[in-house]
Amino acid sequence: MMQRNGGGVGAGGQPWVLRRVRLTWLSFMLFFILVFFPLIAHYYLTTIDEAGGPDKRIFGPRPGGELCEAKHVQDLCRIRESVSEELLQLEAKRQELNGEIVRLNLRIEACKRSIDSAKQDLLQLKNVISQTEHSYKELMAQNQPKLSLPVRLLPDKDDPGLPPPKSARACRLRSCFDYARCPMTSGFPVYVYDTSSYPWGESLDPLVRQAFATSVKSSIYVTDNPSIACLYVVLVGELQESPSSPLPAPSALEKQLKALPYWRSDGHNHLLVHLSRKSMTQNFLYNVSTGRAAVAQSTFLEQQYREGFDLVVSPLVHALSEPNFLEVPPQVPVKRKYLFTFQGERVESLRSSLQEGPPQSFEEEMEGDPPADYDDRIIGTLKAVQDSRLDRVLVEFTCKSPQPSLPTEWALCGEREERLEILKASTFALVISPGDSQLMASAGNSMRLFEALEVGAIPVVLGDHARLPYHQLVHWSEAAIMVPKPRITELHFLLRSLSDNDLLAMRRQGRFLWETYFSTSENVLGTILASVRTRIQVPPAPIHEEPAQEIPHKAGKMAGTDANMGDNGDLDLGPVETEPPYASPRFLRNFTYTASDTYQTWNRAPGPFHLFPHTPLDPVLPSEAKFLGSGTGFRPIGSGTGGSGKEFQAALGGNVPREQFTVVMLTYEREEVLMNSLERLNGLPYLNKVVVVWNSPKPPSDDLLWPDIGLPIVVVRTEKNSLNNRFLPWDVVETEAILSIDDDAHLRHDEIMFGFRVWREARDRIVGFPGRFHAWDVNHQSWLYNSNYSCELSMVLTGAAFFHKYYAYLYSYVMPQAIRDMVDEYINCEDIAMNFLVSHITRKPPIKVTSRWTFRCPGCPQALSHDDSHFHERHKCINFFVKVYGYMPLLYTQFRVDSVLFKTRLPHDKTKCFKFI
C-alpha cells in the first residue's frame, strides 16, 4: 500500500513540476511584454521623431491643427468647433435668461403690490361713486317731485257731463268739451259710429260712406271700445236725396242725434263730420241744435260757425281713387302761360236749400243786412287787365254750364277736367269769396282751392272774411296770397312783384299741403282727427318702428384689427370709447312741445320738423328732440374741449358730449365679403352695434362663423329682396346716427370717425364719401346721372354715408309709394331716392368728406354698379323722381370737408379742386 503511493509520486511528480514552471514562465513573459514593450516602443518612437526634426514628425503632437489637414479628419474638426460655439452661446443665453427671470420676478412682485394698491383705490372710488349717485338721487328727488300718470276718468253712460251752456253757439272747448275723457296719456282713442246704425245712414252718398269706412280702418286712433273713447265721430253727410229716402227735417235730425247711444243728452265730445263731394252741398245742420257736439264741414255761415270749436274742412274730391303723381304738372318753370285765370259765374238769385224752419231763414237774414258788394268792381278791374294785354290772363264771368252753387257765390264752370287744363297753364288762380260776408266758408271755394293746389297754380283769395280749411292750424299765407277785395286794383302790381324764388316756395308749400292734408280720404279724416287732437293738446301716438326678425348666428374667433383700418396716424378724433354701447336718448313729444309749436309745426314747407311729424299719421319720432339742435348746447364753465391743437384733436365736436352710431349693412349672398367687412369694423370707436340686413331668401350657412368684434351684430331677416330694406326704421337701431354702408365698401377707421364728426355738426344732411351729380341733357331734354369725377356734386351715395334715423321713417312711411315701387322694379336707385328726399326736405345739398380715390373693396366680386344697364336705369330713375316731386330737388355744391390732420396725399391730376377745411 505504501509502495504504491510512493511509486506514484515519484513517477508522476516531474510532469507536474514542469507544468508549474512553464506556467510561471509564461506569466513572466506576458508581464514583460505588457509592461516593458510599450515603454520601449514609446522611447523608440520618441527618439525617431526627435532624430527626424520637427517638420518630419509622424506620431508626435503637431502645432496649428496640422492633424486636421488630413482629409478624413476635417469634417470632425468642423463639427467639434461648431458644437463648442453653440455650447458657449447657450451658456451665455442661459445666464441672460436667468437674469431676465430675476428681473421679471422683481417686476411681478412690484405689479402685485400695484394691483393691491389699485384694488384699494378702486374700492374707494366705488364708494365715492356710490355716495355721489346717492347724493344725486337725493338732489333730484328734492328738485323734481315724483309724478304719476293721471287717473283715467270714465263717466257712466248716463252721466250728463258738464252743465248746459248758456247758448249752443257760444260753445268753446273749455265749456263744451270734457277733457276728463282725454288724458294726455290716453293715446286719443276715437270711436266711430257705424253708418248703418242711425236712420239717415241709408241717405249718405255711397262713395263718401265707402271712403269714410276705408279711412276709419286705416286710422291708428280708432277704437272699438266706446267706454274709453275720447272723441265720438258721426258721419252726417254728404246726403243724397231720393224719392225712397228724403232728407230728414232739421227737427227730425236733431232727435236722431240725441238718440245716439253715447250722445249723453248734449253730445259733448262728439264730432259731426260732413264731407262734401260737390260744389254745392246741403248745409242741413244750420238750423239743427247740435248741443256740445263740434261740426266739421266745408260750408259755414258766420252765425253758425263757432270759432276754435268747429272745423272748416276740405272737400272730398278723391273719394276712392288715389291721385296719380305722374299726371300732376311739374312745378317748374315757375312762370306759366297765363299770369292768372278765373272762370266763374256769379249766382244772383237767393235760391237755397240751406235752411228750413226757425229761427230765421238765410234769405231773411240777408234781406235784413245786405252785404257790401265789391264784385262789380272786381269784374271791371279784371276785364281791364285782360284788355290791356300787359300780361296774358284769362278771365270769364259767364259759363256755358255752371255748376250748382250757393247764393252770392261764384259758380264753377264746366267739368273738373276742363278746369284743371286751364289751371295747369296758370301761374295764379283767383278764388273770389262769396259776395255775402256771412257766407264765411263754402264748398265751392274749397273746391277751387283744392284744384289750384293740385296742379300747382298759386291760389289768390280775394276776400279777407273767407275761412280756408284748417285756417287756425295752417299758415295759408305761405301757400296762397290773401288780398282784401278793396285792393283789387292793386292785384296786378302785387302779382308781378313776386320773385321766382318766392313763387316756387309757395308752389312747393301748396303741393305739400295738398299731398299731406287734402289728396285722399285717409288724409282728410286723419287731418280732421289731428286737428281735434292738437286743439286739446293730446300727444300723438308714437311712430311705428319696423320689428327686426333676428337670424340666430354663432360667433367665431375674435376678429383681428387690420393695421390699415385701425391706424389713424397722427389723427385722434375724440376720446377713446371704453364704455358699452350707448343708445341715443329716446324722446316722446310732451305737453310743452305740443303747446308751444302748434302753429309752427303745421305750416312749414317740407322741413324736417314739419313734413313728417304732422302728417295725418301724426307720428312722433323717439329721438326727434335732438334732430337739429342736438340738445341745449349747455356746457359748464371749463368743460369745453374744442380748443386748439391737441384739445381740438381730442374733441368729438357738436353739442352732444356722448353719442354713438349704428352701422346698417345690406348684403345678398356674399358671405365671404360680408365677413371681411365685419372684421374691418373691429375696434371702431363710437360704434354702437352692427345691423346686417340679410336681403337673401336663403338663410346664412349653418357652418358660417361670424367674427367677434366685441359689439352686437344683429342679422335681420327681410320679407323680400328689396333695396328699400336698407332704409327701414329697424327697432334695433337705437342711435340717431346711422352709417349706411355696402358690404364691399372699404373705409379706414379714421375716415369713418371723421365722417361721424362732420355729421354731428350737420345732423340734417347726408354726410358721406362717394359723391355723384346730375346734369341736364340738352339734346334729349332730360336729366342724366353722372358718376365721373367732378369738383361739383349733388348726391352722396348711401353705400357709405351717415344720415339721421328720422329720414328712415320718411323714406319708408311718407315718401310716395311710387318711388319705392320703382326701386323694387329696377333693383336700383335707392340711394338716389334718399338724396331726393333729404334735399326736398332740407333744401340743402349733401356733404362729402374725405378724399378717397379707392372706395370699393380690393379683390371683392364685381358689383351691380359695373353693369352697363345700371346707369341707364339710374337715368330713368332721376327723371321719374322729378315727375313725382314735380321739380328737381337736388342742389349742386362744391363744398367738401377735409381735415388737415389727415395729411391727405392728393394726386397731381386732382389738385385743381378747392379744399375747404
Side-chain angles (χ1 to χ4, degrees):
M1 187 69 180
M2 289 296 293
Q3 186 177 3
R4 184 179 297 162
N5 292 342
V9 171
Q14 186 176 0
W16 180 82
V17 174
L18 292 175
R19 288 193 299 270
R20 187 171 183 180
V21 172
R22 291 174 182 173
L23 181 61
T24 301
W25 175 253
L26 182 61
S27 299
F28 175 78
M29 292 301 293
L30 182 61
F31 175 78
F32 178 82
I33 294 171
L34 294 177
V35 174
F36 291 98
F37 183 77
L39 295 176
I40 295 169
H42 180 268
Y43 173 77
Y44 177 75
L45 293 174
T46 305
T47 303
I48 294 175
D49 287 340
E50 291 177 355
D55 297 334
K56 296 181 180 181
R57 288 180 179 178
I58 301 174
F59 299 102
R62 297 175 180 269
E66 293 179 0
L67 185 63
C68 295
E69 294 179 359
K71 186 176 182 179
H72 61 281
V73 184
Q74 292 179 357
D75 293 340
L76 296 177
C77 293
R78 285 194 299 270
I79 293 174
R80 184 188 65 180
E81 294 174 358
S82 176
V83 171
S84 299
E85 291 180 1
E86 290 180 0
L87 290 175
L88 292 175
Q89 294 175 359
L90 290 175
E91 178 64 20
K93 186 175 291 186
R94 185 184 68 82
Q95 295 177 0
E96 182 182 353
L97 291 177
N98 288 336
E100 185 69 21
I101 289 173
V102 174
R103 290 192 296 270
L104 291 177
N105 288 332
L106 295 176
R107 291 184 61 184
I108 289 173
E109 295 298 329
C111 290
K112 288 182 178 179
R113 292 191 296 270
S114 300
I115 290 174
D116 294 337
S117 177
K119 287 182 178 179
Q120 295 296 330
D121 295 340
L122 179 62
L123 182 60
Q124 294 178 2
L125 289 176
K126 288 183 177 179
N127 294 333
V128 172
I129 292 174
S130 177
Q131 294 175 3
T132 305
E133 291 179 348
H134 182 70
S135 301
Y136 175 76
K137 291 179 180 179
E138 289 181 348
L139 292 174
M140 294 296 292
Q142 295 175 2
N143 298 328
Q144 296 181 355
K146 295 182 179 179
L147 297 177
S148 59
L149 295 177
V151 179
R152 290 292 305 272
L153 301 178
L154 301 177
D156 297 333
K157 180 179 178 180
D158 298 331
D159 185 3
L162 302 174
K166 297 180 180 179
S167 172
R169 293 187 177 181
C171 263
R172 298 297 182 268
L173 287 175
R174 62 181 181 274
S175 59
C176 293
F177 192 86
D178 187 3
Y179 282 88
R181 299 194 62 90
C182 304
M184 289 185 291
T185 58
S186 63
F188 192 60
V190 177
Y191 178 79
V192 180
Y193 285 92
D194 186 5
T195 55
S196 61
S197 63
Y198 36 82
W200 69 88
E202 297 181 356
S203 300
L204 291 171
D205 187 329
L207 290 179
V208 173
R209 181 171 55 188
Q210 186 177 355
F212 182 78
T214 303
S215 303
V216 167
K217 293 180 181 179
S218 62
S219 176
I220 60 177
Y221 296 108
V222 173
T223 178
D224 295 332
N225 187 0
S227 62
I228 66 171
C230 165
L231 184 69
Y232 298 85
V233 178
V234 184
L235 181 64
V236 296
E238 185 169 52
L239 300 179
Q240 283 186 339
E241 185 176 7
S242 64
S244 59
S245 56
L247 295 180
S251 57
L253 181 58
E254 186 174 333
K255 292 180 180 179
Q256 294 173 3
L257 290 175
K258 293 182 179 180
L260 293 175
Y262 308 104
W263 188 261
R264 296 186 181 91
S265 73
D266 58 2
H268 61 273
N269 291 48
H270 276 64
L271 180 66
L272 308 181
V273 179
H274 184 193
L275 300 178
S276 304
R277 210 166 57 85
K278 302 176 182 178
S279 59
M280 179 178 178
T281 184
Q282 309 91 347
N283 186 11
F284 56 86
L285 293 178
Y286 175 68
N287 289 324
V288 175
S289 176
T290 58
R292 284 193 170 95
V295 178
Q297 61 183 19
S298 300
T299 302
F300 276 103
L301 297 178
E302 185 177 2
Q303 299 86 347
Q304 177 188 10
Y305 181 70
R306 295 168 290 186
E307 189 74 31
F309 191 72
D310 294 329
L311 276 175
V312 179
V313 301
S314 60
L316 186 63
V317 178
H318 298 286
L320 294 177
S321 60
E322 294 285 341
N324 188 353
F325 291 99
L326 297 181
E327 295 180 357
V328 177
Q331 299 185 34
V332 290
V334 176
K335 301 293 182 59
R336 296 179 176 178
K337 178 180 179 181
Y338 299 107
L339 177 64
F340 63 84
T341 59
F342 178 79
Q343 291 178 306
E345 182 174 335
R346 184 171 53 177
V347 180
E348 299 289 350
S349 64
L350 298 179
R351 51 183 174 80
S352 174
S353 59
L354 289 177
Q355 311 82 11
E356 291 184 18
Q360 190 177 13
S361 68
F362 178 53
E363 292 85 347
E364 294 172 345
E365 293 182 2
M366 286 194 60
E367 291 174 357
D369 185 16
D373 193 358
Y374 291 93
D375 288 355
D376 293 338
R377 184 184 301 178
I378 291 175
I379 294 174
T381 303
L382 295 181
K383 285 185 176 180
V385 174
Q386 185 179 27
D387 295 339
S388 66
R389 298 187 178 181
L390 295 175
D391 287 293
R392 195 168 184 179
V393 299
L394 175 63
V395 290
E396 296 179 355
F397 300 106
T398 57
C399 301
K400 296 181 179 179
S401 56
Q403 302 294 322
S405 300
L406 298 176
T408 74
E409 186 182 23
W410 289 88
L412 294 171
C413 294
E415 300 296 330
R416 167 179 161 81
E417 290 74 15
E418 298 174 353
R419 298 193 298 270
L420 291 180
E421 290 300 322
I422 298 296
L423 292 174
K424 288 178 182 179
S426 306
T427 305
F428 297 95
L430 300 187
V431 180
I432 304 177
S433 302
D436 178 27
S437 59
Q438 299 181 42
L439 186 59
M440 54 181 299
S442 66
N445 268 17
S446 298
M447 195 74 69
R448 287 184 183 273
L449 181 69
F450 180 94
E451 293 176 353
L453 296 177
E454 182 178 2
V455 296
I458 300 174
V460 179
V461 181
L462 292 177
D464 52 359
H465 67 280
R467 295 290 187 270
L468 300 183
Y470 318 108
H471 62 278
Q472 289 185 321
L473 299 172
V474 175
H475 278 178
W476 280 105
S477 59
E478 298 181 359
I481 300 175
M482 316 292 291
V483 180
K485 287 185 177 181
R487 292 193 178 275
I488 183 60
T489 57
E490 302 171 298
L491 178 64
H492 186 207
F493 170 79
L494 174 63
L495 300 184
R496 287 288 302 272
S497 63
L498 296 176
S499 66
D500 289 353
N501 290 336
D502 293 338
L503 295 180
L504 182 59
M506 297 183 71
R507 186 171 292 166
R508 289 181 59 251
Q509 178 67 12
R511 173 75 175 269
F512 161 71
L513 295 177
W514 174 75
E515 289 182 359
T516 307
Y517 305 126
F518 311 139
S519 58
T520 64
S521 59
E522 288 82 0
N523 291 352
V524 171
L525 177 62
T527 305
I528 293 174
L529 298 181
S531 302
V532 178
R533 183 196 51 73
T534 304
R535 281 180 172 180
I536 63 177
Q537 299 177 338
V538 175
I543 183 62
H544 167 73
E545 290 192 299
E546 197 69 23
Q549 300 180 6
E550 298 186 25
I551 301 177
H553 60 281
K554 51 185 177 180
K557 64 179 181 178
M558 179 68 69
T561 302
D562 189 347
N564 295 326
M565 296 292 103
D567 181 19
N568 299 332
D570 297 333
L571 183 64
D572 182 18
L573 291 177
V576 178
E577 285 282 340
T578 58
E579 56 185 328
Y582 171 75
S584 299
R586 299 181 67 83
F587 172 80
L588 296 178
R589 189 181 302 153
N590 55 21
F591 173 82
T592 304
Y593 184 89
T594 304
S596 62
D597 292 343
T598 299
Y599 291 95
Q600 179 182 5
T601 55
W602 270 77
N603 303 300
R604 294 293 174 186
F609 268 118
H610 309 106
L611 170 65
F612 185 51
H614 299 278
T615 59
L617 294 177
D618 272 15
V620 179
L621 305 187
S623 58
E624 185 182 3
K626 294 169 57 180
F627 178 66
L628 288 180
S630 304
T632 61
F634 169 77
R635 284 180 178 173
I637 297 177
S639 65
T641 57
S644 59
K646 183 178 180 181
E647 291 79 8
F648 171 79
Q649 199 173 358
L652 184 60
N655 296 312
V656 183
R658 187 184 183 205
E659 188 172 19
Q660 295 178 343
F661 63 90
T662 302
V663 168
V664 176
M665 185 178 296
L666 187 72
T667 186
Y668 185 88
E669 297 183 1
R670 296 198 295 185
E671 295 180 351
E672 183 179 357
V673 175
L674 175 63
M675 296 303 108
N676 293 335
S677 297
L678 293 176
E679 288 186 2
R680 288 194 292 270
L681 299 176
N682 184 36
L684 178 60
Y686 309 109
L687 179 59
N688 180 272
K689 69 177 62 170
V690 180
V691 178
V692 177
V693 182
W694 193 264
N695 229 20
S696 172
K698 298 188 301 183
S701 304
D702 296 335
D703 57 348
L704 182 63
L705 294 179
W706 296 71
D708 184 3
I709 62 175
L711 292 170
I713 297 179
V714 181
V715 186
V716 179
R717 178 185 289 109
T718 58
E719 296 181 356
K720 64 177 182 178
N721 177 21
S722 172
L723 294 179
N724 294 316
N725 296 331
R726 179 196 298 271
F727 302 124
L728 284 174
W730 302 105
D731 56 359
V732 293
V733 177
E734 299 176 322
T735 60
E736 297 179 16
I738 295 178
L739 173 57
S740 175
I741 190 169
D742 289 338
D743 57 1
D744 59 351
H746 193 78
L747 292 174
R748 292 169 54 96
H749 287 184
D750 54 354
E751 294 172 330
I752 296 177
M753 292 166 61
F754 183 66
F756 180 48
R757 185 175 184 177
V758 173
W759 177 86
R760 284 164 52 85
E761 305 288 347
R763 307 172 74 88
D764 60 336
R765 315 273 281 274
I766 297 179
V767 177
F769 303 90
R772 300 291 187 266
F773 67 97
H774 67 288
W776 179 252
D777 186 354
V778 179
N779 297 328
H780 298 88
Q781 293 294 298
S782 62
W783 294 102
L784 296 178
Y785 170 84
N786 201 317
S787 63
N788 296 329
Y789 174 77
S790 173
C791 293
E792 195 169 48
L793 60 98
S794 60
M795 292 175 282
V796 166
L797 302 187
T798 54
F802 285 93
F803 64 89
H804 200 286
K805 188 181 179 182
Y806 178 89
Y807 295 121
Y809 297 98
L810 293 181
Y811 185 98
S812 302
Y813 302 142
V814 175
M815 188 179 68
Q817 181 63 37
I819 296 180
R820 294 190 293 271
D821 291 341
M822 190 166 196
V823 171
D824 288 336
E825 178 183 355
Y826 285 155
I827 316 180
N828 199 343
C829 306
E830 85 288 355
D831 46 2
I832 301 178
M834 177 59 80
N835 277 271
F836 265 70
L837 175 65
V838 176
S839 296
H840 170 65
I841 293 172
T842 63
R843 302 307 301 138
K844 298 177 183 178
I847 297 179
K848 174 179 170 56
V849 296
T850 310
S851 298
R852 277 299 292 182
W853 311 117
T854 303
F855 169 68
R856 290 295 176 184
C857 170
C860 292
Q862 190 177 25
L864 293 175
S865 58
H866 291 85
D867 189 359
D868 293 338
S869 62
H870 173 79
F871 293 95
H872 295 290
E873 293 171 352
R874 294 173 86 81
H875 298 330
K876 296 179 181 178
C877 288
I878 286 184
N879 288 279
F880 179 80
F881 296 165
V882 168
K883 290 182 179 179
V884 174
Y885 282 96
Y887 75 112
M888 169 54 76
L890 298 179
L891 299 173
Y892 293 107
T893 181
Q894 296 181 2
F895 181 82
R896 191 189 72 197
V897 181
D898 286 348
S899 173
V900 294
L901 300 177
F902 274 104
K903 298 180 179 179
T904 307
R905 295 182 295 272
L906 296 177
H908 296 292
D909 60 338
K910 297 177 180 177
T911 56
K912 58 184 179 180
C913 294
F914 289 101
K915 184 176 180 180
F916 296 89
I917 306 301

